[in-house]
Amino acid sequence: MKYILVTGGVISGIGKGIIASSIGTILKSCGLRVTAIKIDPYINIDAGTFSPYEHGEVFVLNDGGEVDLDLGNYERFLDINLYKDNNITTGKIYQHVINKERHGDYLGKTVQVVPHITDAVQEWVMNQAKVPVDDDKREPQICVIELGGTIGDIEGMPFVEAFRQFQFKAKRENFCNIHVSLVPQPNATGEQKTKPTQNSVRALRGLGLSPDLIVCRSAKPIEMAVKEKISMFCHVEPEQVIFIHDVSSTYRVPILLEEQGIIKYFKQRLNLPIDDQPSDLLMKWKKMACRYERLLKVCSIALVGKYTKLSDCYASVFKALEHSALAINYKLDLMYIDSTELESSMEAENSVKYHQAWHKLCKADGILVPGGFGIRGTEGKLQAISWARTKKKPFLGVCLGMQLAVVEFARNCLNWEDANSTEFDPDTKNPVVIDMPEHNPGDMGGTMRLGKRRTVFKTENSVLKKLYGDEMFVEERHRHRYEVNPELTHCFEEKGLKFVGHDTEGNRMEIIELENHPYFVGVQFHPEFSSRPMKPSPPYLGLLLAATGTLNAYLQRGCKLSP
């Protein structure tokens, strides 16, 4: 097993996740089996109880693990399926060690950060690195480990110490450290500064780790003189300094790394049994990146949510839309609309914001209402859904988006004026969305229906069934507590809102489709989590096809994309 540790310096959020994913992609393109581990030094057991404004979206895995969004990047770039134990947190490690201590496993010894915590980290990494993540279920050959945060953070210290020890346990030819740093360019001078990187590398060395590669992030391409300066002051060869400037799309990053000789370096440094040249996989990435940059036709989608101030809150949704747009050769114009700004109360409070939000919604080619929790902004989402339904705008509702589509239909088509979800109004006379029995009261982190579940199509006449390739069932990831009330579904079906997919028992409604509408679809699951750059998610692809007016032609071609 070969281990590649990716650390970061100067600032957090520098792009370690994309660089770790890109390195994995390059090595996979050379024919190696790659897995990935993300270490988050926070004390939370997992990401499940975070507000999206803390660390971005919560990504859900097949096994129900609620993890950091970087694991989403690994899955998309490497086309693998990870497990909750591929995300290590301080909370998980300490819980594991404390449980062992309570069990008496340490035989009365004093339990300390060194050696007990550091040993637990190393043991976890070695065990998890062997778990197969590809469809062929073979053991990985390379494990890319990303250490979250910044070198020098107090909470990251035990992990840095664990890897200081681990480099000797694994042996030099099996362990490699990549340090990602920032090269800022102050506007006042316009000069690229190397001092932050020098200090960051010095801090890393002081903790016992020496970088084998220094990846320098910058806004603009870095000059050769800067490369030589970093090489001299950071005690590495010039070819060990890699530059990654801001690019038009993340698909470019593996190509930039490969152009700077990273395959040749890894081959020598880790004794890898590979050719110097990448395979067809990287050529596909190159073609995809070039196609992305040459797109001319634009499709605009309005994303109506309540976490619109930070784009990372909907990272997987954005990627799923982008994958679908790229598949049909359109450039995505994603307009984030804060749902509270569509509500009538906003017109009195701030009429400019209100009218701007409605202007965006009206000019969009398609409307998407993603998942979420809590009552804030739900009335605005209902307004957007009503607009999409009445004006025949292509619409996709995901999770809460589907539940609200049912609420909107009940209020405006069935004339159940107080129809609601019991999440927002526990005493409603028409509870069209209810808390379902799989939900067990207790810790917030453990009360949801999580992970991959099967959805069975109950009719042949379904747009989504055709988009999924006429499969009898699909398996997608879930993250929710509430469900459409199964006792009321017949009322909706009589009026044209069809429940075309349900769970294996037939109690949980999974997919809705509205008759006599170009594309009005709701799904209880989260299809964005399984979208891949070269395999777009069918519900999102359907939305883009409908928004560009090409859905019927696509279905008539037998769901084949035009060349």
Side-chain angles (χ1 to χ4, degrees):
M1 178 67 68
K2 310 287 183 183
Y3 300 91
I4 297 171
L5 175 67
V6 180
T7 56
V10 189
I11 57 167
S12 60
I14 199 169
K16 296 186 297 294
I18 297 292
I19 285 161
S21 305
S22 300
I23 286 163
T25 303
I26 289 168
L27 293 170
K28 187 166 183 173
S29 79
C30 295
L32 297 166
R33 295 186 299 280
V34 183
T35 186
I37 291 174
K38 171 76 194 289
I39 297 174
D40 286 304
Y42 46 68
I43 295 171
N44 303 60
I45 301 294
D46 62 25
T49 54
F50 280 143
S51 153
Y53 284 137
E54 289 288 314
H55 293 268
E57 74 170 5
V58 177
F59 191 81
V60 179
L61 303 172
N62 278 346
D63 65 357
E66 296 174 287
V67 296
D68 186 84
L69 60 81
D70 272 321
L71 275 84
N73 284 325
Y74 304 155
E75 287 205 345
R76 284 187 286 269
F77 271 74
L78 299 168
D79 195 13
I80 54 177
N81 289 307
L82 298 170
Y83 301 89
K84 59 185 169 203
D85 285 348
N86 286 77
N87 191 195
I88 302 175
T89 68
T90 296
K92 279 184 186 176
I93 293 291
Y94 273 77
Q95 189 178 56
H96 173 71
V97 169
I98 289 165
N99 288 344
K100 283 179 76 174
E101 185 271 332
R102 292 288 86 186
H103 198 246
D105 291 6
Y106 295 117
L107 303 173
K109 284 193 169 66
T110 306
V111 181
Q112 295 173 290
V113 174
V114 181
H116 300 104
I117 296 293
T118 52
D119 283 355
V121 173
Q122 294 172 60
E123 191 183 307
W124 194 306
V125 167
M126 285 192 291
N127 291 340
Q128 200 57 31
K130 293 175 187 164
V131 176
V133 290
D134 280 316
D135 292 338
D136 62 6
K137 300 295 177 202
R138 292 169 71 195
E139 190 177 302
Q141 297 162 292
I142 290 190
C143 179
V144 180
I145 306 151
E146 181 194 341
L147 177 57
T150 312
I151 288 299
D153 293 347
I154 289 173
E155 61 261 39
M157 289 297 184
F159 295 104
V160 177
E161 173 57 23
F163 287 108
R164 185 195 67 77
Q165 297 169 20
F166 187 69
Q167 64 187 333
F168 302 112
K169 191 183 283 187
K171 302 283 187 292
R172 180 176 158 75
E173 65 274 14
N174 299 324
F175 182 87
C176 169
N177 176 215
I178 297 169
H179 188 62
V180 185
S181 183
L182 178 71
V183 176
Q185 192 168 3
N187 288 335
T189 60
E191 188 186 353
Q192 292 170 329
K193 296 292 183 182
T194 63
K195 192 61 74 182
T197 298
Q198 293 175 42
N199 291 338
S200 181
V201 170
R202 188 182 301 121
L204 185 65
R205 283 223 169 86
L207 296 169
L209 283 171
S210 277
D212 295 288
L213 286 174
I214 300 170
V215 177
C216 299
R217 288 280 292 108
S218 63
K220 294 177 182 160
I222 295 175
E223 295 144 20
M224 201 62 203
V226 176
K227 182 173 190 167
E228 286 162 359
K229 192 173 181 183
I230 291 170
S231 161
M232 181 169 69
F233 284 107
C234 295
H235 197 66
V236 292
E237 296 282 345
E239 56 266 28
Q240 289 172 266
V241 181
I242 307 281
F243 297 154
I244 303 290
H245 58 275
D246 292 350
V247 283
S248 58
S249 85
T250 50
Y251 306 130
R252 273 267 160 228
V253 179
I255 298 154
L256 276 178
L257 288 167
E258 189 262 328
E259 284 169 354
Q260 295 179 63
I262 204 164
I263 296 177
K264 188 179 176 187
Y265 179 79
F266 279 135
K267 185 183 176 183
Q268 293 169 346
R269 175 68 181 75
L270 296 172
N271 297 332
L272 298 175
I274 54 173
D275 296 327
D276 285 352
Q277 293 303 314
S279 70
D280 296 343
L281 181 64
L282 210 60
M283 290 309 293
K284 280 183 186 171
W285 274 88
K286 279 185 182 174
K287 283 179 187 168
M288 192 164 61
C290 291
R291 248 179 65 221
Y292 181 86
E293 284 156 14
R294 287 202 301 263
L295 296 172
L296 297 173
K297 293 183 286 186
V298 178
C299 177
S300 61
I301 300 291
L303 187 153
V304 183
K306 65 177 189 179
Y307 306 114
T308 53
K309 291 183 182 71
L310 183 68
S311 59
D312 269 358
C313 297
Y314 298 110
S316 292
V317 171
F318 170 64
K319 287 294 176 191
L321 288 167
E322 192 179 64
H323 299 160
S324 298
L326 187 58
I328 61 170
N329 294 314
Y330 272 79
K331 201 179 194 75
L332 175 69
D333 173 21
L334 184 59
M335 300 184 288
Y336 292 97
I337 300 175
D338 187 333
S339 55
T340 57
E341 293 175 6
L342 295 171
E343 294 174 4
S344 48
S345 58
M346 180 58 74
E347 188 173 15
E349 197 180 307
N350 188 332
S351 62
V352 174
K353 274 188 176 178
Y354 174 80
H355 289 294
Q356 282 175 341
W358 273 102
H359 176 68
K360 275 189 196 173
L361 188 75
C362 295
K363 72 174 187 179
D365 299 316
I367 296 168
L368 170 71
V369 178
F373 295 91
I375 194 165
R376 184 174 70 83
T378 50
E379 288 304 318
K381 291 175 186 176
L382 288 166
Q383 296 277 346
I385 293 165
S386 187
W387 169 266
R389 183 178 58 78
T390 55
K391 301 295 179 189
K392 302 242 187 291
K393 283 273 185 186
F395 166 79
L396 175 63
V398 175
C399 195
L400 178 65
M402 166 183 152
Q403 294 171 8
L404 290 176
V406 171
V407 171
E408 189 277 332
F409 194 86
R411 288 183 187 178
N412 297 324
C413 297
L414 303 181
N415 298 318
W416 300 349
E417 288 178 14
D418 79 329
N420 214 332
S421 164
T422 55
E423 180 181 2
F424 313 128
D425 180 4
D427 304 318
T428 176
K429 290 189 183 69
N430 292 298
V432 292
V433 177
I434 57 167
D435 200 346
M436 285 288 269
E438 188 174 293
H439 155 72
N440 300 306
D443 294 338
M444 273 193 87
T447 58
M448 281 194 279
R449 189 163 184 249
L450 285 165
K452 190 162 80 171
R453 297 283 198 284
R454 181 169 290 190
T455 295
V456 181
F457 288 104
K458 66 174 193 182
T459 173
E460 292 298 316
N461 186 26
S462 157
V463 176
L464 218 50
K465 187 176 194 290
K466 290 171 187 161
L467 286 166
Y468 271 106
D470 270 323
E471 297 287 346
M472 297 302 293
F473 62 85
V474 294
E475 291 185 325
E476 294 279 11
R477 300 173 188 183
H478 292 68
R479 183 180 186 243
H480 59 97
R481 290 190 181 91
Y482 293 82
E483 306 263 3
V484 173
N485 189 342
E487 291 176 12
L488 301 176
T489 53
H490 63 278
C491 303
F492 292 92
E493 299 227 329
E494 286 164 13
K495 292 282 188 176
L497 188 68
K498 303 294 185 186
F499 293 88
V500 299
H502 49 61
D503 71 340
T504 46
E505 282 80 44
N507 298 327
R508 297 168 191 275
M509 301 303 119
E510 295 280 358
I511 303 169
I512 60 165
E513 289 179 13
L514 182 62
E515 288 181 341
N516 304 317
H517 192 287
Y519 190 81
F520 190 96
V521 172
V523 291
Q524 184 58 71
F525 45 82
H526 287 268
E528 64 269 19
F529 293 143
S530 43
S531 181
R532 302 285 185 264
M534 295 171 203
K535 286 187 282 187
S537 165
Y540 284 91
L541 183 61
L543 177 67
L544 267 292
L545 286 163
T548 54
T550 54
L551 178 59
N552 290 335
Y554 176 77
L555 295 174
Q556 283 161 11
R557 284 197 304 269
C559 293
K560 288 184 173 62
L561 293 165
S562 57

